[in-house]
């Protein structure tokens, strides 16, 4: 009996060990790769700079995607939108001929996407154009919260289920419902309904039921609401709060790295232009139940671009066609390298501190040129415009289309609207919120990282000061119009682009008036015309505005020492947080004291 009992115990132990091993072997890892906001950057090339990039582009993404697929056959590839807009290739060539094969969709087909969610920029040319271009996709294009007048999905799909290695992934796509705010006048936009994202997701989850093992929401919006702060119709956080059963939440639109976990849900988002890819790794048990998950955002710096992507005939052709277009100045000029005009000097000053753009802390010739052109074309009293890219500049000498695109990268049209002095000041205060408040001892001006650069407008036609010693909402001082203080009840006309009019002035209730005039051509076309008629153009700065209320320790020798270390890469660029001379001195004192104690010990 003892022998039999021992044998039974041994067999039981073996069975338990075998069962454990079997359970471990039956677990599987599924990887979901998420891209977003690629904005037409296929090659990894800056057409406005006529130069290869080192850290972005769909070709780089594909190199990494291939590596992951080799590691794990159970890999899915999902995109969260804003892909067919953003470069000279897309905006000035292929989006104007939607009946032709589109290079971005061609590249995405080759890369093997499982699904794509619409972004708001997919609507920029109207719904028929969007539908023509996205219909070329060999994968589902999703928008669960946008339906046409007949109640059908605008892309014919709101969600999809795809299977790999025996695992079924359900992907629900939702776009920010704020599309009409930006593109309300475009063909077909007003005829659709735009449902709150969380409600559309709830409906989709009910429709999916138990058909999928993993539920993923691909949301073209940030976690925080952009306009609907009260109800969260455009908030990805609201989606998750209302639908906690979601396994993966992909976010986009804000061009920010998001890498977090809330409860059992992993959340990831990337920057723009193919700068990063979000990687979601999920562990499933033998019943395909998710038992663990993680998220990481992988930077594409130093990743070699895929030559496979670049060698696709249409991609190679589109790339060269774009370069020829830039050199020629227009599609009709051919490849002759015809300049659009010329300048007598550069338009941007050099940055004193690397990474702190001079173009955002002082008046510059670039912004004065754009505002001057807007004033001349609109006949308005005051103009507002943004520096869309901190490094935007015009070189000395000949100017081509790439240079124009560099200083004005969007296809915005120009509006003229009547505003009161009070409304204009409120608009200026909103714009000045991009800065952090200056503190005594700060050696540099810094910027609130929650405010994207493109939200900061600079104004012409008025003189004004921005007092950064004051909190947000109390910074605009000494506003002068025609040599006199601007009164709150005074009326004047404002030139502003269609995007800012809709997404800020009206949606934030900054003004009551409506547009009284709209240009028939884009602001970028106006700049092209200006160079054709006025070259050579001389950089001019009227210094109508300045930052006040700051003492940047200009006479302190430590400031020069700190700036030298920043410019040499020894200290991180203080873009979102100023370096304070008092803290720096205190830290230096601690280091000296620590070194002294060490020397005493050794002595």
């Amino acid at each position: 009996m003892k022998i039999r009992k021992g044998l039974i115990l041994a067999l039981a132990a073996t069975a338990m060990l075998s069962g454990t091993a079997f359970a471990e072997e039956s677990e599987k890892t599924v990887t979901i790769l998420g891209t977003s906001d690629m904005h037409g950057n296929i090659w990894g090339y800056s057409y406005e700079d006529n130069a290869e990039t080192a850290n972005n582009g769909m070709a780089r993404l594909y190199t990494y995607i291939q590596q992951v697929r080799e590691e794990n056959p159970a890999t899915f590839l999902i995109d969260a939108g804003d892909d067919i807009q953003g470069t000279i290739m897309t905006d000035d060539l292929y989006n104007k001929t939607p009946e032709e094969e589109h290079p971005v969709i061609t590249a995405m087909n080759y890369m093997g996407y499982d699904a794509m969610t619409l972004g708001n920029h997919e609507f920029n040319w109207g719904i028929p154009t969007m539908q023509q271009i996205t219909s070329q996709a060999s994968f589902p294009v999703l928008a669960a919260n946008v339906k046409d007048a007949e109640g059908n999905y605008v892309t014919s799909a709101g969600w999809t289920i795809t299977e790999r290695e025996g695992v079924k992934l359900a992907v629900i796509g939702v776009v920010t419902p704020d599309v009409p705010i930006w593109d309300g006048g475009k063909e077909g936009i007003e005829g659709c309904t735009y449902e709150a994202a969380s409600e559309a997701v709830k409906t989709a989850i009910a429709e999916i039921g138990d058909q999928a093992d993993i539920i993923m929401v691909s949301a073209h919006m940030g976690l925080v609401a952009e306009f609907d702060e009260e109800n969260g119709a455009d908030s990805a956080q609201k989606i998750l709060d209302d639908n906690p059963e979601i396994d993966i939440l992909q976010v986009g639109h804000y061009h920010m790295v998001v890498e977090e976990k809330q409860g059992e849900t992993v959340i990831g988002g990337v920057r723009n232009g193919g700068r990063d890819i979000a990687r979601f790794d999920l562990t499933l048990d033998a019943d395909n139940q998710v038992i663990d998950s993680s998220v990481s955002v992988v930077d594409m710096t130093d990743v070699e671009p895929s030559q496979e992507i670049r060698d696709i005939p249409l991609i190679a052709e589109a790339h060269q066609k774009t370069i020829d277009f830039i050199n020629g100045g227009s599609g009709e000029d051919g490849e002759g390298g015809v300049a659009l005009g010329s300048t007598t000097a550069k338009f941007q000053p050099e940055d004193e501190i690397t990474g702190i753009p001079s173009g955002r802390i002082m008046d510059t010739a670039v912004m004065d040129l754009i505002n001057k052109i807007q004033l001349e074309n609109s006949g308005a009293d005051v103009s507002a415009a943004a520096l869309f890219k901190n490094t935007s500049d015009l070189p000395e000498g000949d100017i081509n289309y790439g240079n124009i695109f560099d200083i004005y990268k969007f296809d915005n049209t120009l509006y003229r609207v009547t505003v009161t002095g009070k409304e204009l000041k409120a608009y200026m205060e909103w714009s000045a919120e991009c800065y952090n408040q200056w503190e005594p001892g700060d050696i540099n001006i810094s910027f609130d990282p929650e405010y994207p650069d493109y939200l900061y407008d600079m104004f012409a036609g008025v003189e004004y000061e921005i007092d950064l010693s004051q909190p947000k909402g109390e910074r605009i001082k000494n506003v002068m119009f025609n040599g006199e203080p601007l009164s709150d009840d005074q009326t004047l006309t404002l030139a502003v682009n269609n995007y800012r009019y809709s997404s800020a002035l009206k949606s934030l209730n900054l003004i009551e008036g409506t547009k009284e005039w709209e240009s028939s051509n884009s602001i970028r076309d106006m700049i092209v015309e200006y160079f054709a008629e006025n070259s050579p153009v001389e950089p001019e700065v009227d210094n109508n505005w300045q930052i006040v209320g700051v003492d940047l320790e200009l006479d302190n020798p430590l400031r020069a020492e700190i700036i030298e270390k920043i410019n040499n890469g020894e200290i991180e660029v203080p873009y979102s947080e100023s370096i304070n001379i008092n803290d720096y001195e205190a830290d230096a004192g601690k280091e000296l004291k620590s070194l002294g104690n060490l020397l005493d010990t050794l002595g």
Side-chain angles (χ1 to χ4, degrees), residues 481-531:
F481 178 63
N482 288 338
E484 300 290 336
L486 180 65
S487 63
D488 285 352
D489 59 359
Q490 193 169 350
T491 60
L492 60 167
T493 52
L494 169 70
V496 65
N497 72 54
N498 64 303
Y499 176 89
R500 187 68 81 239
Y501 171 84
S502 301
S503 64
L505 300 187
K506 299 305 290 183
S507 67
L508 299 177
N509 296 315
L510 294 174
I511 67 169
E512 291 185 4
T514 57
K515 65 176 179 178
E516 59 184 37
W517 170 84
E518 177 181 2
S519 66
S520 58
N521 56 342
S522 72
I523 295 170
R524 194 159 66 226
D525 289 339
M526 296 175 192
I527 300 172
V528 170
E529 291 172 3
Y530 184 87
F531 271 91

Side-chain angles (χ1 to χ4, degrees), residues 369-384:
L369 175 68
I370 295 171
N371 275 319
K372 178 182 180 180
I373 292 170
Q374 291 189 173
L375 287 171
E376 289 182 355
N377 279 269
S378 66
D381 299 314
V382 181
S383 174

Side-chain angles (χ1 to χ4, degrees), residues 153-425:
Y153 291 124
V154 74
T155 60
S156 76
W159 55 270
T160 187
I161 296 177
T162 182
E163 183 175 355
R164 192 152 293 120
E165 300 294 314
V167 177
K168 294 181 180 179
L169 170 70
V171 183
I172 306 165
V174 284
V175 61
T176 169
D178 303 319
V179 166
I181 292 177
W182 302 302
D183 291 305
K186 306 295 173 59
E187 185 178 0
I189 300 294
E190 301 294 348
C192 293
T193 58
Y194 303 83
E195 188 181 8
S198 63
E199 292 302 315
V201 168
K202 185 181 294 293
T203 299
I205 289 175
E207 292 172 352
I208 292 166
D210 60 359
Q211 298 179 68
D213 303 307
I214 302 169
I215 295 178
M216 175 179 184
V217 172
S218 176
H220 190 82
M221 63 194 71
L223 284 172
V224 179
E226 190 169 11
F227 294 110
D228 189 12
E229 295 181 0
E230 184 176 352
N231 299 308
D234 54 357
S235 161
Q237 183 64 59
K238 175 69 170 173
I239 295 174
L240 184 55
D241 291 345
D242 291 351
N243 303 279
E245 61 268 53
I246 296 168
D247 298 299
I248 303 168
L249 176 60
Q250 179 186 23
V251 296
H253 185 54
Y254 280 2
H255 300 178
M256 295 170 58
V257 170
V258 178
E259 193 178 45
E260 62 180 84
K261 192 170 185 178
Q262 293 186 26
E264 299 303 314
T265 306
V266 280
I267 308 168
V270 299
R271 289 171 289 186
N272 57 310
R275 184 72 170 80
D276 322 278
I277 195 165
R279 175 172 179 160
F280 306 92
D281 289 301
L282 279 65
T283 302
L284 281 64
D285 63 17
D287 298 320
N288 282 352
Q289 299 292 312
V290 178
I291 58 176
D292 195 16
S293 59
S294 64
V295 59
S296 59
V297 175
V298 183
D299 193 318
M300 291 296 104
T301 299
D302 298 328
V303 174
E304 280 295 315
S306 165
Q307 197 59 43
E308 284 183 52
I309 294 293
R310 291 183 170 186
D311 286 342
I312 296 172
L314 178 64
I315 305 303
E317 175 189 328
H319 179 64
Q320 189 59 50
K321 183 178 179 180
T322 306
I323 292 172
D324 292 342
F325 172 79
I326 293 168
N327 291 335
S330 75
E332 298 175 356
D333 290 339
E335 303 177 12
V338 178
L340 298 178
S342 63
T343 67
T344 61
K346 282 168 51 68
F347 274 57
Q348 281 274 36
E350 297 296 327
D351 296 340
E352 179 196 21
I353 303 175
T354 300
I356 305 294
S358 295
R360 295 188 70 212
I361 60 177
M362 65 177 69
D363 196 13
T364 67
V366 169
M367 292 313 305
D368 279 359
L369 175 68
I370 295 171
N371 275 319
K372 178 182 180 180
I373 292 170
Q374 291 189 173
L375 287 171
E376 289 182 355
N377 279 269
S378 66
D381 299 314
V382 181
S383 174
L387 185 69
F388 294 126
K389 189 175 76 170
N390 289 335
T391 57
S392 291
D393 195 6
L394 290 170
E396 179 180 355
D398 288 344
I399 298 298
N400 64 25
Y401 196 84
N403 301 129
I404 304 299
F405 190 92
D406 187 47
I407 66 168
Y408 209 98
K409 67 179 297 183
F410 296 108
D411 252 359
N412 296 326
T413 55
L414 188 62
Y415 288 0
R416 185 180 68 235
V417 58
T418 298
V419 297
T420 66
K422 183 178 181 179
E423 289 173 336
L424 179 62
K425 292 172 190 174

